[in-house]
Amino acid sequence: MSRFTRTQKILMCLIGFFLALGLLFQGMRQASIGDIGYSVLSYLKYGLIDYPLTSIKNFASDFSNLWKVQEENDYLKEQLSMTENYQALYENAQREKRELQELLNMNESLSDFNIISATVIGRDVSYWNDQITLNVGSNDGIQEDMIVVNSQGVVGKVHKVQDSTCIVKLLTCEDKSNKVAVRINFQNEDTGEDAQSEETDSASRAESVEGILESYDADEGAYVVSLLDEQEVEEGMRVVTSGKGGVYPSGLFVGTVKKVESLENQLGQVIYVEPLSNFQYFDYVSVIEVN
């Protein structure tokens, strides 16, 4: 005979079922709390350690990159500035090269004279149009009243001489005692039948007119020339040294006629002659010793 009745067996099964179910829920509950605890620890570790370290590392990397970019930017700016300087130096070198080449051509045309090459080492702003200082002197054979020319023509004559330098009085000096005998060359550009029809008149007409370079007019920016003969002078005519003044040799270019004015209440003309195109800025000259 069984110790438990049918009802008791059913009750025991129910109790065992609910007990197993309770243990299962308890295990599931404990597992969930562990997961939450792990997540909390993970967030704390990320927020307090990993994220700050990562942020610091990224900031340091960004700052390093920014510093490198700044250095590269400064370097490029410096190079750009140097490029402008190099361009200026290149243009200046090209200008000096052209000036030296033109001066060499000038010297070849003056083969009958003794030529001493020189460099302008001083030009006081206060006396810009009056005088220049050259790097040659008596040790180089320089003497007073020697003629000085640049790449285009005559600029003045030696005024004072020292052992290794000399001072040149420029034609643009307003000293009225600095006179030069000049010649204005007429230019006849007629061609064809007109030139042939005027051949007789041209033969009888003078090819040039003599004059004296009296002074320099700073307001006009031109020399003042008085004519020795009454001749019709026009703008653009070339003016050269005549060689009759006893100092300047003949044929040195002085300038071109800029303007012609008639004198009021008297006969004659005032001739304004524009100096060489590069008179204000030149670095190299030749000193001519007239034999």
Side-chain angles (χ1 to χ4, degrees):
M1 186 175 179
S2 175
R3 295 176 55 187
F4 301 102
T5 63
R6 182 178 179 81
T7 302
Q8 290 175 334
K9 291 180 180 181
I10 293 172
L11 290 173
M12 291 176 65
C13 289
L14 290 173
I15 292 170
F17 174 74
F18 284 111
L19 180 60
L21 187 61
L23 293 173
L24 179 62
F25 283 141
Q26 182 67 24
M28 292 177 64
R29 184 167 173 240
Q30 291 177 353
S32 177
I33 292 175
D35 291 340
I36 292 174
Y38 177 77
S39 298
V40 170
L41 292 175
S42 297
Y43 278 116
L44 288 174
K45 179 176 178 294
Y46 177 75
L48 296 176
I49 301 176
D50 294 342
Y51 181 73
L53 291 176
T54 302
S55 299
I56 293 173
K57 180 180 179 181
N58 292 336
F59 175 78
S61 177
D62 293 341
F63 182 79
S64 177
N65 292 334
L66 181 62
W67 185 266
K68 290 181 179 179
V69 170
Q70 181 65 33
E71 289 181 343
E72 291 177 357
N73 189 39
D74 293 341
Y75 175 77
L76 291 175
K77 286 183 178 179
E78 182 180 357
Q79 290 300 309
L80 181 60
S81 175
M82 292 301 295
T83 299
E84 295 176 354
N85 292 335
Y86 291 147
Q87 179 66 25
L89 291 173
Y90 172 77
E91 292 176 356
N92 184 65
Q94 289 294 105
R95 181 188 64 80
E96 291 183 351
K97 178 182 177 181
R98 289 193 299 270
E99 184 179 347
L100 287 171
Q101 183 60 51
E102 292 172 356
L103 187 61
L104 178 61
N105 296 337
M106 167 75 73
N107 292 343
E108 291 178 353
S109 66
L110 300 171
S111 57
D112 294 336
F113 303 99
N114 182 30
I115 302 297
I116 302 173
S117 299
T119 302
V120 178
I121 60 173
R123 192 169 186 177
D124 195 328
V125 177
S126 301
Y127 305 98
W128 188 262
N129 289 327
D130 294 347
Q131 62 186 35
I132 58 176
T133 303
L134 305 182
N135 66 338
V136 291
S138 59
N139 294 337
D140 305 286
I142 301 297
Q143 299 177 6
E144 291 185 7
D145 293 333
M146 282 186 173
I147 309 306
V148 180
V149 298
N150 69 0
S151 60
Q152 294 187 1
V154 60
V155 296
K157 64 180 179 179
V158 176
H159 179 58
K160 294 181 180 180
V161 182
Q162 297 179 344
D163 292 340
S164 57
T165 62
C166 66
I167 296 177
V168 176
K169 181 182 289 188
L170 301 175
L171 286 182
T172 51
C173 176
E174 295 185 47
D175 183 0
K176 293 187 178 181
S177 64
N178 193 26
K179 296 182 179 181
V180 182
V182 297
R183 181 175 66 248
I184 300 177
N185 294 327
F186 297 142
Q187 297 177 353
N188 185 4
E189 297 181 355
D190 295 334
T191 57
E193 297 180 357
D194 293 338
Q196 293 177 0
S197 64
E198 297 181 358
E199 183 176 355
T200 303
D201 294 337
S202 298
S204 62
R205 184 173 58 195
E207 296 181 354
S208 63
V209 59
E210 303 289 335
I212 300 295
L213 191 156
E214 299 280 357
S215 61
Y216 178 76
D217 190 326
D219 294 332
E220 289 287 344
Y223 305 123
V224 179
V225 174
S226 61
L227 299 183
L228 300 179
D229 298 318
E230 292 298 328
Q231 295 285 347
E232 183 178 354
V233 176
E234 299 178 354
E235 295 180 9
M237 289 182 173
R238 290 172 56 87
V239 180
V240 299
T241 56
S242 66
K244 296 181 179 180
V247 177
Y248 292 87
S250 175
L252 297 178
F253 182 68
V254 174
T256 56
V257 175
K258 177 182 179 182
K259 184 170 62 173
V260 180
E261 289 185 352
S262 299
L263 295 175
E264 296 182 1
N265 303 324
Q266 56 180 313
L267 297 176
Q269 303 174 93
V270 177
I271 312 298
Y272 291 97
V273 176
E274 187 174 14
L276 312 174
S277 61
N278 69 340
F279 201 99
Q280 294 298 323
Y281 305 100
F282 56 89
D283 297 314
Y284 304 100
V285 296
S286 293
V287 183
I288 302 175
E289 181 181 0
V290 181
N291 298 324

